[in-house]
Amino acid sequence: MTDHIPKLPSGEPIYKCARVEMPNNGHPVTNFETSGGRKKTCDEAFTLGEKMIEGKTKVVYGVNTPGKCLVVSKDIITAGDGAKRDVMEGKAAFSTSTNGALMQILNHAGVKTSYIKKVNETSYLAWRCHMIPIEWVIRRIATGSYLKRNVGVAEGFKFFPPKLETFYKDDENHDPQWSREALEQAKLKLGETTLTPALIDVVERMSVVIFEILERSWRTKDVSLVDMKLEFGIREDTGEVVLSDVIDNDSWRIWPSGDKRLMRDKQVYRNMEKLTTDGLANLKKNYQWVADRTEEIWNEMSGENNHKSRVVIFMGSSSDMQHCEKIASLCREMGIVCDMHISSAHKSTQQVLKLVAKLESELHIPTCIIAVAGRSNGLGPVISGNTNMPVINCPPLSGTYASQDIWSSLRLPSGLGCATVITPDAAAHSAAQILCQQDVGVWCKLRARQLTTWVNLVLQDSNIPSSSSQSQ
């Protein structure tokens, strides 16, 4: 199998940007490819190890790099817990492309996943995880099996917040639904980790946030994310809960323009009594369409020239620069372009108004202004009185008169609406919450930061010994 593959000095075969094919006999055939300078190719050399596990639509191999594995997709489509199964040429590439785009969207936002990078057209590198044998299903719209299990609920009923369900992975018993109580009582062992109520809370919160991020992302293409299933694992090296497994067109229902008749997902295959030649061609078009759209979403979100919003900081003096740099740094962490200007409302009024007029003329860029001025803050109110853009005061309070100086930001003349916060963190987050309504990338990052804060609090609380444990 490895005779034609270049070898390391040790004699081990190099797996570098390789194409792994899975013929009908299931034996992997590996063809070596060089990156050739192409963008988004894997240039890491590693040795392909033993098969770790094989599922209906993918195979996972170990690699010689500690803590990592290779996930290889197959050209197989299934339904009914594997009872229905067909070969669909190109599906492995569609799956790898779709999963890669979605995982990069989530990683970019700040959600923890097992995904590292795409290796080639049908495989990607991932962190090794102890998988939780549960599927978390998140629903925005009632349809499919939910209607059968909940008689009386009309199709199309919308859940606010999204509805969350859990199913134990067991094909022979058709993945039975588990209650939260059953999941807690199971005390599932995942390597050295036990799935505690706190960790279940974390997975549930992550599930909803991931759904919301992808729902918001799909909305940029006028596509409704109806429902989806997710799987999680515990990273072997860090012990963290991460989104694992694959998210592709098998994982969800999506309705373009919110119209069920236009569905592009695996449900089209489920609805077929028999896969015909025309039906297969239509399926491939759907999966290609989804792969193309998800790649577009990722490119639009990550491209250097695709920033959709900005913060402009006006500071009254260069002495405010350190305060402003903190604001700018936090804004950039949330994907917001940040520009800074030094201009005093008292000493260079016309210059302030000229800059504001220029910003007003750039209507295609959603903009939020942050005014930083100490002592008597006329900067924020003057700008607010001459623009329709949102203005946030963030005075750098210090010294003996700080408690008096703040009032120049708080007590405004009538007709003005600039808000006031007193820390750089609050200023950046306030701006992000305004701009994220028009910038999906900022929205995703903000949602992920909220998730991280929530998860950290839950885990910190769970680590405090209880009185009952201390008495034992």
Side-chain angles (χ1 to χ4, degrees):
M1 168 184 168
T2 60
D3 291 345
H4 63 292
I5 301 177
K7 293 179 170 57
L8 295 169
S10 64
E12 295 178 291
I14 296 177
Y15 184 81
K16 180 179 179 183
C17 232
R19 179 170 62 252
V20 178
E21 299 172 351
M22 298 297 297
N24 293 334
N25 63 10
H27 188 67
V29 177
T30 306
N31 296 317
F32 182 81
E33 295 177 355
T34 59
S35 62
R38 293 173 298 174
K39 188 177 180 182
K40 298 182 180 178
T41 55
C42 176
D43 58 3
E44 178 180 354
F46 52 86
T47 305
L48 184 63
E50 296 299 316
K51 181 192 297 184
M52 295 170 57
I53 189 170
E54 181 170 3
K56 297 187 289 289
T57 60
K58 62 184 177 295
V59 188
V60 181
Y61 294 94
V63 295
N64 67 325
T65 307
K68 297 179 182 178
C69 62
L70 184 77
V71 182
V72 183
S73 293
K74 303 179 189 178
D75 284 338
I76 299 294
I77 186 168
T78 68
D81 299 319
K84 185 178 181 181
R85 180 182 185 277
D86 287 285
V87 175
M88 178 176 158
E89 185 178 352
K91 182 176 180 292
F94 299 147
S95 174
T96 303
S97 175
T98 301
N99 179 68
L102 297 172
M103 290 296 183
Q104 287 179 100
I105 288 170
L106 294 169
N107 285 343
H108 183 68
V111 176
K112 293 180 179 179
T113 79
S114 65
Y115 184 88
I116 300 174
K117 59 184 173 182
K118 179 179 177 181
V119 172
N120 59 40
E121 295 304 309
T122 60
S123 64
Y124 68 91
L125 199 64
W127 298 109
R128 292 178 64 152
C129 296
H130 299 289
M131 294 299 296
I132 305 173
I134 297 289
E135 287 184 351
W136 274 267
V137 176
I138 311 95
R139 305 181 186 275
R140 177 65 78 189
I141 300 173
T143 190
S145 65
Y146 184 86
L147 302 178
K148 297 177 183 178
R149 288 180 283 104
N150 295 272
V151 177
V153 178
E155 184 169 34
F157 181 89
K158 289 192 174 182
F159 301 107
F160 303 104
K163 186 77 172 179
L164 187 62
E165 298 178 300
T166 52
F167 298 86
Y168 181 69
K169 288 176 64 65
D170 182 356
D171 282 349
E172 291 185 2
N173 291 300
H174 307 292
D175 296 345
Q177 185 174 10
W178 275 20
S179 66
R180 167 65 190 247
E181 293 76 17
L183 185 54
E184 287 190 16
Q185 289 291 301
K187 294 181 173 61
L188 297 174
K189 290 291 291 184
L190 312 160
E192 299 298 318
T193 302
T194 300
L195 192 64
T196 62
L199 290 179
I200 297 171
D201 288 341
V202 168
V203 173
E204 289 180 347
R205 183 73 170 218
M206 288 180 71
S207 297
V208 172
V209 170
I210 289 166
F211 179 90
E212 290 173 333
I213 287 174
L214 297 182
E215 177 185 44
R216 192 84 172 200
S217 299
W218 266 121
R219 198 177 300 166
T220 65
K221 300 298 177 184
D222 189 28
V223 175
S224 296
L225 179 57
V226 176
D227 54 37
M228 72 183 306
K229 63 180 179 68
L230 299 173
E231 295 182 38
F232 294 81
I234 307 295
R235 268 184 58 169
E236 290 185 5
D237 56 345
T238 65
E240 296 175 292
V241 176
V242 296
L243 173 67
S244 195
D245 204 18
V246 170
I247 306 179
D248 60 10
N249 205 30
D250 292 352
S251 306
W252 54 29
R253 288 183 177 90
I254 50 171
W255 297 349
S257 302
D259 189 338
K260 181 181 178 181
R261 297 169 298 180
L262 303 178
M263 68 175 69
R264 295 272 194 169
D265 52 77
K266 183 178 169 179
Q267 190 62 40
V268 174
Y269 175 71
R270 295 189 189 101
N271 292 344
M272 294 178 179
E273 291 186 9
K274 183 179 180 181
L275 184 60
T276 63
T277 301
D278 289 343
L280 179 60
N282 183 54
L283 270 181
K284 291 178 72 172
K285 286 181 181 178
N286 285 343
Y287 276 66
Q288 179 72 69
W289 185 90
V290 169
D292 290 345
R293 297 296 84 73
T294 52
E295 188 71 22
E296 284 177 10
I297 293 170
W298 166 235
N299 288 337
E300 290 167 3
M301 194 177 293
S302 64
E304 293 181 3
N305 298 320
N306 289 324
H307 295 290
K308 297 181 175 66
S309 59
R310 68 181 171 191
V311 161
V312 180
I313 300 175
F314 283 71
M315 67 187 90
S317 168
S318 59
S319 63
D320 301 324
M321 183 62 74
Q322 185 177 6
H323 188 79
C324 295
E325 286 285 6
K326 293 178 182 178
I327 299 172
S329 176
L330 290 165
C331 286
R332 290 169 187 140
E333 285 180 15
M334 290 183 279
I336 305 170
V337 171
C338 193
D339 298 326
M340 294 189 287
H341 297 280
I342 299 173
S343 195
S344 168
H346 295 104
K347 302 171 186 177
S348 56
T349 309
Q350 292 304 315
Q351 186 65 18
V352 170
L353 297 178
K354 183 178 179 180
L355 285 169
V356 170
K358 182 177 184 298
L359 297 176
E360 284 273 9
S361 70
E362 297 168 343
L363 300 177
H364 61 291
I365 308 176
T367 301
C368 181
I369 295 173
I370 298 178
V372 177
R375 298 187 181 181
S376 177
N377 175 24
L379 188 56
V382 166
I383 295 174
S384 179
N386 289 275
T387 183
N388 288 339
M389 293 178 285
V391 179
I392 301 169
N393 291 316
C394 186
L397 301 177
S398 62
T400 306
Y401 297 101
S403 60
Q404 286 79 33
D405 291 344
I406 188 65
W407 289 106
S408 62
S409 298
L410 294 173
R411 289 185 59 84
L412 304 174
S414 61
L416 302 184
C418 47
T420 298
V421 296
I422 59 173
T423 65
D425 178 81
H429 276 85
S430 296
Q433 288 183 314
I434 292 169
L435 295 172
C436 75
Q437 305 307 313
Q438 294 176 277
D439 190 328
V440 66
V442 176
W443 193 96
C444 293
K445 281 183 173 288
L446 193 57
R447 196 57 134 210
R449 289 172 75 94
Q450 293 168 342
L451 169 66
T452 299
T453 299
W454 189 93
V455 168
N456 288 340
L457 288 171
V458 169
L459 295 181
Q460 289 165 12
D461 179 69
S462 68
N463 288 332
I464 299 175
S466 65
S467 57
S468 58
S469 65
Q470 289 176 332
S471 61
Q472 293 176 353

